[in-house]
């Protein structure tokens, strides 16, 4: 199994602010994709749509201000059965976010692409919290013909 791992620090923020951006439709559409719908509560399924397709995530874990975990239940075959998790903690005037997209069967080329895209979207999340304006799809940084 292979995993995508990232760490960011969000300035002048609290874990609760970042948690809200990860657990509300307005928050999610402000940094990941504008086409976000579904149920964000525990057990709900959130649908994320992009120009080239999308993902369905079942909300598998919520601990306010500390943790968000999703299981991928719809999308590209490489994503099915993987999980996405954010661990949050306060460190001075920063919220530290540890990100994992884990359970990839093998590190295929698409995983490399997704790692880069997760990095750009995590920077969009940081930007949303720090400035009030993220860069979700379709206004995100394009990195390849898979975008």
């Amino acid at each position: 199994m292979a995993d995508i791992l990232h760490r960011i620090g969000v300035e002048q923020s609290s874990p609760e602010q970042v948690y809200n951006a990860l657990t509300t439709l307005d928050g999610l559409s402000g940094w990941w994709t504008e086409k976000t719908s579904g149920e964000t509560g525990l057990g709900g399924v959130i649908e994320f749509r992009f120009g080239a397709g999308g993902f369905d995530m079942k909300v598998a874990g919520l601990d306010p201000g500390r943790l968000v975990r999703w299981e991928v239940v719809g999308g590209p075959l490489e994503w099915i059965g993987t999980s996405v998790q954010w661990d949050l903690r306060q460190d001075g005037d920063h919220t530290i976010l540890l990100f994992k997209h884990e359970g990839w069967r093998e590190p295929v080329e698409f995983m490399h692409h997704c790692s880069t895209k997760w990095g750009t979207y995590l920077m969009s999340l940081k930007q949303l919290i720090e400035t009030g304006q993220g860069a979700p799809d379709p206004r995100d940084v394009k990195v390849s013909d898979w975008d």
Side-chain angles (χ1 to χ4, degrees):
M1 295 277 179
D3 302 333
I4 296 171
L5 305 172
H6 291 288
R7 177 192 183 276
I8 63 169
V10 183
E11 294 183 72
Q12 304 297 319
S13 69
S14 69
E16 291 75 22
Q17 287 173 291
V18 177
Y19 180 85
N20 287 338
L22 297 171
T23 60
T24 65
L25 294 178
D26 285 343
L28 292 163
S29 64
W31 67 268
W32 196 15
T33 178
E34 291 177 352
K35 295 180 182 175
T36 299
S37 61
E39 297 297 324
T40 60
L42 193 60
V45 175
I46 310 168
E47 296 105 18
F48 300 96
R49 297 297 177 259
F50 300 80
F55 311 99
D56 295 337
M57 307 286 191
K58 181 179 180 183
V59 181
L62 294 174
D63 186 355
R66 298 186 60 202
L67 173 117
V68 175
R69 184 173 178 81
W70 297 333
E71 295 172 357
V72 182
V73 296
L77 182 60
E78 296 90 345
W79 280 48
I80 302 297
T82 64
S83 62
V84 177
Q85 180 168 312
W86 292 266
D87 291 288
L88 307 170
R89 66 178 165 82
Q90 190 73 47
D91 187 1
D93 64 350
H94 285 74
T95 297
I96 303 301
L97 182 152
L98 298 178
F99 171 87
K100 292 188 279 190
H101 185 173
E102 58 190 345
W104 290 73
R105 287 179 285 285
E106 58 184 324
V108 295
E109 185 176 348
F110 185 50
M111 180 182 171
H112 293 265
H113 165 79
C114 292
S115 180
T116 302
K117 287 303 294 188
W118 273 124
T120 64
Y121 286 123
L122 290 169
M123 294 306 294
S124 173
L125 171 61
K126 175 180 170 66
Q127 183 181 335
L128 175 66
I129 301 295
E130 292 177 353
T131 71
Q133 183 69 44
D137 180 81
R139 298 180 286 116
D140 58 313
V141 175
K142 304 300 180 196
V143 297
S144 79
D145 59 353
W146 284 332
D147 286 327

